[in-house]
Amino acid sequence: MKCHGGTETQRNLCNLCASVAKNNMNKSLLSYTLYLADNALIIGHRNSEWCGHGPVLEQDIAISNIALDCIGQARNFYQYAAQLTGGDATEDSLAYLRDTTDFKNCLLVEQPNGDWAHTILRQFLFSTWQYYFYAALQKSKDEQLAAIAEKALKEVTYHVRWSSEWVIRLGDGTEESKQRMLKAIDSLWMFTDELFIPADFESAIETADTKNDWLKKVSTVFQEATLEMPVNVRMITGGKEGKHTQHLEEILNEMQMLQRMYPGAEW
Amino acid sequence: MKTIDENIWSILASVSDPEVPVLSIIDLGVVRDVIIPSPDEIEIVVTPTYTGCPAMDVMKINIRMALLAAGFKSITIKEVLSPAWSTAWMSDAGKEKLKAYGIAPPQYQKPTTDAFAAEESVSCPLCNSTDTKLVSQFGSTACKALYQCNECKEPFDYFKCH
């Protein structure tokens, strides 16, 4: 029965429309899963850049372990995305062969590591969002996303704690550490709004209202760190739509180089 | 005569955590189920400890090798994420083995996001003193934190609660 242009009832009965709706839903679910995977991969990759270069040994190990946790999350999401994509898609093809404009990560995670203050602040802002986001996602209608979130939440709890402690140490530390924190806030705060503005594919699947919880946690930690919450900051968005800063291109050039030059390489 | 199940459990008990070789995958609580759909097929259901744990891939390979060596031909290893693995699943025997190996076993308490939260004191696995301090929440592997004993001065790993 053809109905295009008909009433909603007619459309609900139409097999073709049902099939189109289902197709769109599947596309949204895939985009949503890739978004979550890309977030985790890019911040994991950024953190891994510290490996061997950390300010002291214990923190070098800490940031490397956090990177590992994030890459683990990315693997879980990419494996699910590969399943949703079908064909010969694998976690590796999705991570290593997609172009910059196909990546859906938020802009915050692709920002450069800068100094330790930049890195720990980026982690704090992002992990705090992830904490509330995964807490909601573990109740998702999609069983696999819920399972990944439930698992990841345990590890993200440690990330929030570790990064909060660093924000406080550096904010309420020496004059120099405080200045570095203020510079870091200046560089990164403009990318935070994007976390709370759902992309189309998010609205199609499910959204969670995490902004208030996030603001509360961030302001509590900032207060203890004797840092002021920024106001009137012009926000930048676009990552979820594939509009990235040049930083992502640089990251992918380095990360994807081997697989692009020698497809299927293993060692 | 051993039942098929006992035989399989003992094969699985021979597969250890590559990072902590005193612990078997049974001690860790990683094996969730063993399904035998037909006499020739076997399916092992496992759950990963940490999301990014690189040892999981090694453990899965080792499970396969152990079952192949025991004569099984058709082996499937399935990973399930839910319910999420918890240190509460670690056997008491496993905790004893960890301590003997020099790693403080997990004391179950729900982790918190609070900065500088007071930790329940962890006993030194070497001298048993409770006068110990946390050096870093992240130790030699993702699952462990680094502590130091104020009494005997030795550093040691603590298997984090999860």
Side-chain angles (χ1 to χ4, degrees):
Chain A
M1 167 158 74
K2 284 200 181 171
C3 71
H4 318 294
T7 64
E8 193 174 328
T9 314
Q10 287 176 308
R11 287 201 298 277
N12 284 344
L13 290 171
C14 168
N15 287 338
L16 184 61
C17 279
S19 151
V20 167
K22 185 164 181 224
N23 231 5
N24 287 339
M25 207 40 182
N26 288 343
K27 277 203 193 106
S28 294
L29 180 61
L30 176 59
S31 293
Y32 190 61
T33 308
L34 284 172
Y35 156 64
L36 298 174
D38 292 342
N39 272 349
L41 179 69
I42 298 305
I43 201 167
H45 184 84
R46 272 295 191 216
N47 287 340
S48 77
E49 289 171 0
W50 275 105
C51 187
H53 302 280
V56 291
L57 185 60
E58 286 82 10
Q59 298 311 318
D60 191 308
I61 292 171
I63 194 91
S64 300
N65 273 318
I66 292 174
L68 199 60
D69 284 346
C70 292
I71 292 171
Q73 285 171 35
R75 285 194 70 191
N76 283 339
F77 286 121
Y78 283 128
Q79 282 163 14
Y80 186 39
Q83 213 183 301
L84 293 171
T85 307
D88 51 10
T90 63
E91 53 178 328
D92 289 329
S93 68
L94 292 172
Y96 290 116
L97 301 178
R98 281 155 66 229
D99 291 332
T100 313
T101 48
D102 295 324
F103 271 70
K104 303 179 197 315
N105 56 281
C106 61
L107 297 175
L108 179 63
V109 297
E110 68 195 51
Q111 299 312 305
N113 287 339
D115 58 12
W116 192 244
H118 272 77
T119 291
I120 61 101
L121 181 67
R122 181 187 62 203
Q123 196 65 48
F124 173 61
L125 297 172
F126 182 69
S127 294
T128 304
W129 169 77
Q130 264 197 330
Y131 179 80
Y132 294 113
F133 183 82
Y134 283 154
L137 190 65
Q138 63 180 350
K139 303 189 198 109
S140 172
K141 290 193 287 281
D142 185 296
E143 278 176 16
Q144 189 62 5
L145 290 179
I148 298 172
E150 187 194 344
K151 185 103 200 90
L153 188 59
K154 295 177 178 238
E155 291 144 20
V156 169
T157 304
Y158 283 108
H159 302 172
V160 176
R161 188 170 154 179
W162 177 86
S163 56
S164 306
E165 292 175 358
W166 271 108
V167 171
I168 294 167
R169 273 187 207 112
L170 295 180
D172 190 20
T174 62
E175 190 48 48
E176 177 172 0
S177 70
K178 177 133 204 182
Q179 286 309 312
R180 285 176 183 266
M181 281 307 293
L182 293 175
K183 269 190 80 184
I185 294 170
D186 246 356
S187 303
L188 297 172
W189 194 263
M190 65 185 81
F191 300 112
T192 54
D193 237 25
E194 188 180 16
L195 299 169
F196 309 105
I197 302 172
D200 288 341
F201 53 75
E202 288 182 85
S203 307
I205 302 296
E206 58 204 5
T207 54
D209 193 2
T210 53
K211 190 164 190 178
N212 288 335
D213 285 328
W214 182 87
L215 275 171
K216 198 164 155 217
K217 178 71 172 176
V218 173
S219 58
T220 305
V221 171
F222 269 32
Q223 193 174 40
E224 205 178 330
T226 69
L227 295 165
E228 286 189 13
M229 290 288 276
V231 289
N232 296 330
V233 174
R234 190 177 144 263
M235 296 290 186
I236 303 182
T237 62
K240 298 183 190 183
E241 283 79 42
K243 298 190 200 101
H244 294 279
T245 65
Q246 89 273 14
H247 300 303
L248 184 66
E249 181 127 5
E250 285 159 12
I251 292 171
L252 295 182
N253 279 344
E254 190 180 76
M255 192 182 80
Q256 296 184 337
M257 182 182 73
L258 191 81
Q259 279 296 325
R260 282 180 180 268
M261 282 175 71
Y262 303 99
E266 286 180 26
W267 64 91
Chain B
M1 190 178 87
K2 277 188 183 167
T3 63
I4 295 171
D5 273 348
E6 274 172 11
N7 188 32
I8 293 167
W9 284 111
S10 75
I11 294 168
L12 294 174
S14 73
V15 178
S16 59
D17 180 329
E19 268 297 327
V20 188
V22 291
L23 286 183
S24 77
I25 56 176
I26 307 287
D27 292 324
L28 269 177
V30 150
V31 178
R32 302 295 320 285
D33 208 352
V34 175
I35 302 161
I36 304 178
S38 76
D40 287 329
E41 297 169 77
I42 186 166
E43 184 179 304
I44 312 285
V45 181
V46 294
T47 184
T49 51
Y50 269 69
T51 310
C53 177
M56 274 314 295
D57 286 335
V58 178
M59 282 191 264
K60 285 194 279 190
I61 293 171
N62 289 345
I63 291 172
R64 188 175 295 274
M65 303 276 284
L67 290 170
L68 279 171
F72 290 92
K73 299 277 189 314
S74 171
I75 302 161
T76 313
I77 301 171
K78 195 171 141 200
E79 204 176 273
V80 293
L81 291 176
S82 184
W85 180 81
S86 161
T87 44
W89 296 0
M90 196 185 285
S91 67
D92 286 336
K95 291 183 187 158
E96 283 302 315
K97 287 183 201 170
L98 270 180
K99 183 159 184 263
Y101 189 65
I103 298 173
Q107 295 163 191
Y108 196 75
Q109 49 182 125
K110 198 167 188 321
T112 165
T113 56
D114 295 339
F116 306 115
E119 296 271 350
E120 199 183 302
S121 68
V122 171
S123 303
C124 173
L126 303 163
C127 76
N128 291 317
S129 167
T130 49
D131 185 12
T132 63
K133 70 168 189 251
L134 173 71
V135 175
S136 173
Q137 279 292 357
F138 298 94
S140 52
T141 58
C143 52
K144 305 205 283 283
L146 183 62
Y147 273 73
Q148 186 177 22
C149 179
N150 291 325
E151 222 173 281
C152 73
K153 308 295 184 206
E154 289 293 327
F156 60 91
D157 274 328
Y158 169 59
F159 204 110
K160 281 192 294 199
C161 284
H162 202 54

